Amino acid sequence: MNIILVGPPGAGKGTQAEFISNKFDLNKVSTGDLFRENIKKNTELGRKANEYVNSGKLVPDQIVTDMISDWLSSNDNWLLDGFPRTVKQAKSLDDILSSQNKVLNSVLLIDVPNHLLVNRLLERQKIEKRTDDDPQTIQVRIDTYEQETSLLIEYYNELGLLTKINGSQNIADVSVNIEKELLNIKKKINN
Ligand code: AMP
């Protein structure tokens, strides 16, 4: 089963990605985590991504697509957290998958209204101390999501791949809903 997880910053994608990958035994990759690791280690990729990640803007499509293409070539049965983020990235993913004879089974959208996001991210900053969780960068990330990533949602909706999950509930309830949806999707794949 190959799944994409989409949602605004603060939707709880990281937490739910962890849950899904354990429950359904999927290989998980988070592009945000990969960038943060590379920035910490000061690799060439990290140096290229640093300025974008720290200002809350999207890293250029080509850099992200090359990184994920490498990862996909050695992984199957996966969950992508944070990729794609633009329609261009989604189309690149389609090309990568068809060249590797793989299919995307479903896109889960964790849907959370804007007014809940800022508080959640400010709370997270107290614990995780992410440099991009300050009020100004949070706003850039939410705006970027609305401008770029929401078009992606339309793209997958038209392809009939999108499933919306109510992300306003508590973590455990969101997980229960995700599990239900993924069990349905798994059943359809096996039939
Ligand atoms: P995240 O951990 O998913 O919130 O991502 C943190 C940051 O990493 C984002 O604000 C972007 O700067 C960068 N990033 C992560 N995934 C992507 C992507 N698919 N395309 C462009 N930039 C990304």
Side-chain angles (χ1 to χ4, degrees), residues 26-73:
L26 301 178
N27 296 306
K28 172 179 82 86
V29 66
S30 152
T31 42
D33 286 349
L34 285 184
F35 285 131
R36 281 185 288 277
E37 274 163 35
N38 276 278
I39 291 169
K40 211 165 157 192
K41 291 186 193 149
N42 195 23
T43 63
E44 197 189 334
L45 176 65
R47 287 193 293 278
K48 279 188 201 159
N50 190 19
E51 154 198 355
Y52 300 99
V53 174
N54 281 320
S55 60
K57 299 200 179 116
L58 293 182
V59 175
D61 288 331
Q62 193 63 51
I63 298 176
V64 195
T65 306
D66 288 348
M67 178 174 85
I68 211 78
S69 171
D70 256 12
W71 188 88
L72 286 168
S73 62

Side-chain angles (χ1 to χ4, degrees), residues 83-95:
F83 179 89
R85 284 270 230 287
T86 64
V87 172
K88 195 159 175 228
Q89 290 180 13
K91 289 185 175 165
S92 301
L93 177 64
D94 291 344
D95 293 342

Side-chain angles (χ1 to χ4, degrees), residues 68-83:
I68 211 78
S69 171
D70 256 12
W71 188 88
L72 286 168
S73 62
S74 51
N75 283 284
D76 210 354
N77 208 28
W78 38 250
L79 172 72
L80 307 184
D81 164 18
F83 179 89

